[in-house]
Amino acid sequence: MIEVSKKCIGCNKCVPVCPFAAINMVDKKAVMNEACTLCGVCVQVCPVQAITITREEASARDLSGYKGVWVYVELTETGDQPQARKIKQVTFELLGAGRKLADELGEDLCAVLLTDKNHNYDKELGAYGADKVYMVEHDELFEYNTDIFSTVIVSLVTRHTPSVMLYGATIQGRDLAPRVASTLYVGLTADCTALAIKDGLLLQSRPAFGGNIMADILAPKSRPQMSTVRPNVMKMNEPVHGRTALVVRESAKLDKSLRRVKVLERRISHDGGGVKIENAHIIVSGGRGMKSREKFRQLEELSKLLGGVVGASRAAVDLGFKEKAHQVGQSGTTVSPKLYLSFGISGAVQHIVGMKASDVIIAVNKDASAPIFNVAKYGIVGDAHEIVPKLIEALKK
Amino acid sequence: MNIVVCVKQVPDSTEVKINPETGHLIRAGVPSIINPYDHFALQAALELKKKHDFKVTLVSMGPPQAKSVVQLGMALGADEGILLSDMAFAGSDTWSTSYALARAIRKLGKIDLVLAGMQAIDGDTAQTGPGVAQQLGMPQVTFCEHVDVDGRRIIARKLIDGGYEIVEARPPVLLTMIMHKDYVPRYPSFLAVNASLKKPFHVWSAADIGAEPQFLGLKGSPTQVDKIYPPPQREKAAMFTGSGQEGMAKILQIMKAEHFIEE
């Protein structure tokens, strides 16, 4: 329920920012009409705190009308040319996981796409399993912005009442999802590694305490049940070309004034064509123990011989051995290649959480008690500087 | 400007284990520390204080012993400390925690900048910062490495996919900070700890911040823990010792056995 108190001074600030044109000024007082979705933008701009939103108490909510498994579509820059964007792989993984949930619930799997221009994205989303694509095309959606994107998502959710909504546990997903959950007063579980249906509810499994324990989480009282899901964990389905999704176009009235945080400069390290450590099958990674940028170059040669890419620990990046785009770990990229071959990485917790899902880990380190050996399948206690050149030599033969 | 830093006391996560029989956390003997990400956020605030003479207030939520992380922050240079401590907060998930922290920050009056760690190392959710920002109606900038203030502009360097952005916002704004070498955590001297005991420190209850009981604790939390359990154990690594030729031969042998290279 939304109320405007006597404090309202009729300043008119809320009228232009309402995405749904749901506010009128009547006798110098704001009055909401039925287009209101309780998105809360007006509450944020009101200079005198005259607008309050009271959400129904959880137990009083009727949840039976909430249907549909939604997946937030994350777009990422292709790196080839400015402004060109493509669908991030985690979206397809979410469609794979969401397909199973939707089938078990007997509900539709829907992708939610916010973009300035549709480049056949809907076709791809259909091929990967979406039944429906809710699409909002608007110039203001040319780049991700927390205020703008959360406003649109909140309005779509309020209008179409899904039962489940999934986001990638990426930098963007972990910025957007909590903002939406907070606005809607619904449950959100971070960084899930498994999803299932238990008695009609979404059972969300996630690691906590740096991976030392696992927790299963439910959100029984509110809808949608929302999760961010760790990339590279869920299996994506093989795309079925020609399988199409029903496109539902949605409008949103968006204004520049909603954009409270402005981007002054954006730097993406492309590294000559773009490193993609997150999708690599083989990663050869180095840490502080590689000692110098020059020695680190040997790992590049080695990774090329193996058909892989180079990764780096945070320490190696901070010391300038390798660019940030190669960083594996909590503040870098989470990876799960088939082979992770590490040299001179001791294995700080922040690094381990970013690579321990790899199929086979071979770790080389001088110190036999290095924590990286706790997650490795094979551990070699030895000097990387002696081993790497010999390995390159042998592989060249 | 007035800055608030949100800090949390956490168990040192690398040492937390689970009892495989009862499924309960073994917390005895595990040291409590300031959440490392919050420590970086605190250093960022103290750098700004040094440069611009801003006021820095700490806000924490937790049991009475969580006072120690607030005390640490004051010994490092923060001006004032608030601890939200009340049984009514027990069992709060990220939504309810954000609600309580936002109520407390609102009570502090005009705040220009709120800093928090990107996430706490016990829950690893990264949800409380954005939740507080939403409840306060502030814009948010998450995963920041660095923050500067230039007049009434707040400039932050934040991580994005494969790179970073420099962004600008007008106060009030909330930033969540990652660990970055620009802000190396410091520890106070005994003298500084002693001196900080004279700084204003308050314990606030749910009633003190005007929090409505139905939004607090288990009752107010949309999520519930169904079960906790140990993660599937990995087998112990097969260990070998050997450098040079020997180490190389071993790696080749493993990669052949695992079919990464041909025989």
Side-chain angles (χ1 to χ4, degrees), chain A residues 137-303:
Chain A
E137 257 185 305
H138 193 292
D139 289 346
E140 286 297 320
L141 301 170
F142 70 99
E143 66 179 9
Y144 175 73
N145 173 279
T146 313
D147 288 324
I148 290 183
F149 276 59
S150 62
T151 301
V152 176
I153 297 286
V154 165
S155 71
L156 290 176
V157 166
T158 309
R159 212 177 289 164
H160 298 285
T161 61
S163 64
V164 168
M165 184 159 186
L166 311 177
Y167 307 74
T170 56
I171 290 179
Q172 190 180 114
R174 298 180 82 193
D175 183 85
L176 174 63
R179 190 90 192 183
V180 171
S182 182
T183 309
L184 293 169
Y185 189 17
V186 300
L188 172 64
T189 305
D191 209 19
C192 298
T193 52
L195 298 170
I197 300 296
K198 181 187 174 190
D199 306 328
L201 293 172
L202 181 66
L203 185 73
Q204 307 156 96
S205 306
R206 67 179 304 264
F209 285 97
N212 283 308
I213 68 162
M214 292 293 297
D216 285 352
I217 311 285
L218 296 171
K221 304 181 286 192
S222 57
R223 295 291 182 279
Q225 303 158 88
M226 303 213 304
S227 325
T228 61
V229 179
R230 185 176 288 187
N232 291 318
V233 174
M234 302 295 171
K235 290 268 168 280
M236 46 180 184
N237 294 329
E238 284 299 316
V240 180
H241 294 288
R243 186 189 185 284
T244 55
L246 174 70
V247 177
V248 183
R249 282 180 183 274
E250 293 280 333
S251 60
K253 184 169 156 271
L254 294 169
D255 187 276
K256 277 196 182 60
S257 62
L258 277 172
R259 190 181 300 273
R260 293 182 290 177
V261 176
K262 294 179 182 68
V263 178
L264 302 179
E265 187 188 335
R266 177 175 299 130
R267 283 276 170 84
I268 314 252
S269 9
H270 291 311
D271 203 47
V275 270
K276 285 282 167 254
I277 62 168
E278 58 187 303
N279 303 330
H281 290 303
I282 294 182
I283 295 177
V284 178
S285 205
R288 190 194 298 274
M290 289 312 293
K291 299 233 170 73
S292 71
R293 192 173 171 88
E294 288 62 47
K295 296 223 166 105
F296 211 97
R297 289 222 182 90
Q298 298 179 339
L299 298 183
E300 279 158 49
E301 196 177 352
L302 179 56
S303 74

Side-chain angles (χ1 to χ4, degrees), chain A residues 57-190:
Chain A
E57 238 196 283
S59 55
R61 290 189 196 184
D62 175 17
L63 305 175
S64 59
Y66 289 81
K67 295 250 184 295
V69 175
W70 282 22
V71 166
Y72 171 72
V73 179
E74 183 170 339
L75 298 176
T76 186
E77 295 193 20
T78 57
D80 310 337
Q81 36 187 305
Q83 306 297 331
R85 295 189 296 172
K86 60 171 186 189
I87 299 172
K88 205 170 160 68
Q89 183 184 297
V90 69
T91 305
F92 301 129
E93 295 166 10
L94 295 177
L95 288 171
R99 186 70 262 169
K100 285 195 203 112
L101 301 173
D103 289 345
E104 192 161 346
L105 291 165
E107 298 176 6
D108 280 342
L109 176 65
C110 311
V112 184
L113 173 64
L114 278 53
T115 181
D116 55 343
K117 196 165 180 345
N118 179 24
H119 295 278
N120 285 326
Y121 296 137
D122 60 298
K123 304 248 175 355
E124 264 184 285
L125 296 166
Y128 278 95
D131 299 314
K132 254 189 215 175
V133 178
Y134 288 105
M135 181 160 68
V136 183
E137 257 185 305
H138 193 292
D139 289 346
E140 286 297 320
L141 301 170
F142 70 99
E143 66 179 9
Y144 175 73
N145 173 279
T146 313
D147 288 324
I148 290 183
F149 276 59
S150 62
T151 301
V152 176
I153 297 286
V154 165
S155 71
L156 290 176
V157 166
T158 309
R159 212 177 289 164
H160 298 285
T161 61
S163 64
V164 168
M165 184 159 186
L166 311 177
Y167 307 74
T170 56
I171 290 179
Q172 190 180 114
R174 298 180 82 193
D175 183 85
L176 174 63
R179 190 90 192 183
V180 171
S182 182
T183 309
L184 293 169
Y185 189 17
V186 300
L188 172 64
T189 305

Side-chain angles (χ1 to χ4, degrees), chain A residues 171 174 313-315 317-318 324-325 327-334 350-351 353-354, chain B residues 37 118-119 143-145 159-160 162-163 177-180:
Chain A
I171 290 179
R174 298 180 82 193
S313 72
R314 173 174 198 131
V317 170
D318 281 352
K324 177 92 191 166
Q327 189 181 316
V328 173
Q330 191 145 250
S331 53
T333 306
T334 302
Q350 290 83 353
H351 185 76
V353 297
Chain B
Y37 291 95
M118 151 210 160
Q119 63 187 30
F143 304 94
C144 296
E145 290 184 338
L159 291 188
I160 56 167
M177 307 296 294
I178 64 166
M179 302 189 217
H180 190 264

Side-chain angles (χ1 to χ4, degrees), chain B residues 38-239:
Chain B
D38 300 346
H39 204 159
F40 280 76
L42 170 64
Q43 293 295 158
L46 295 175
E47 290 288 322
L48 291 174
K49 179 183 166 69
K50 210 164 34 176
K51 237 191 261 177
H52 305 282
D53 200 29
F54 297 152
K55 183 183 178 191
V56 175
T57 306
L58 301 166
V59 177
S60 185
M61 182 166 126
Q65 58 268 30
K67 182 184 177 183
S68 64
V69 300
V70 179
Q71 206 72 55
L72 169 82
M74 290 196 292
L76 285 168
D79 300 283
E80 194 175 345
I82 311 290
L83 175 64
L84 304 180
S85 200
D86 191 323
M87 278 312 289
F89 299 133
S92 293
D93 72 354
T94 59
W95 196 95
S96 292
T97 304
S98 305
Y99 171 74
L101 290 171
R103 297 294 311 185
I105 293 167
R106 189 160 281 170
K107 182 175 161 150
L108 290 168
K110 190 180 157 294
I111 298 299
D112 302 287
L113 177 60
V114 181
L115 298 180
M118 151 210 160
Q119 63 187 30
I121 60 165
D122 50 357
D124 298 328
T125 72
Q127 289 173 186
T128 303
V132 171
Q134 194 279 329
Q135 301 252 4
L136 290 170
M138 287 183 189
Q140 72 196 37
V141 185
T142 51
F143 304 94
C144 296
E145 290 184 338
H146 189 90
V147 51
D148 269 319
V149 176
D150 176 13
R152 293 297 286 169
R153 298 160 73 216
I154 289 165
I155 315 271
R157 188 169 72 230
K158 83 173 289 293
L159 291 188
I160 56 167
D161 234 11
Y164 66 86
E165 279 175 352
I166 311 282
V167 301
E168 176 192 322
R170 302 269 155 179
V173 58
L174 179 142
L175 269 51
T176 75
M177 307 296 294
I178 64 166
M179 302 189 217
H180 190 264
K181 61 177 188 289
D182 286 355
Y183 304 113
V184 179
R186 291 168 194 278
Y187 291 89
S189 65
F190 279 112
L191 277 175
V193 172
N194 267 335
S196 74
L197 295 174
K198 293 197 192 82
K199 291 187 177 177
F201 169 77
H202 314 279
V203 178
W204 286 350
S205 68
D208 290 332
I209 56 171
E212 294 177 53
Q214 80 260 27
F215 294 127
L216 296 176
L218 279 179
K219 190 173 156 216
S221 297
T223 60
Q224 302 174 355
V225 178
D226 189 51
K227 177 169 95 166
I228 62 170
Y229 49 97
Q233 284 298 312
R234 272 185 185 254
E235 280 176 45
K236 271 215 148 65
M239 299 293 292

Side-chain angles (χ1 to χ4, degrees), chain A residues 284 290 294-306 341 343 384-397, chain B residues 244-245 247-249 251-252 255 261:
Chain A
V284 178
M290 289 312 293
E294 288 62 47
K295 296 223 166 105
F296 211 97
R297 289 222 182 90
Q298 298 179 339
L299 298 183
E300 279 158 49
E301 196 177 352
L302 179 56
S303 74
K304 279 207 190 91
L305 288 167
L306 288 169
L341 178 54
F343 293 95
H385 297 289
E386 290 180 25
I387 294 174
V388 174
K390 289 237 179 329
L391 206 48
I392 290 171
E393 216 176 286
L395 286 169
K396 273 190 179 158
K397 287 178 198 157
Chain B
Q245 195 69 31
M248 178 275 286
I251 294 175
L252 278 187
M255 288 200 293
I261 49 178

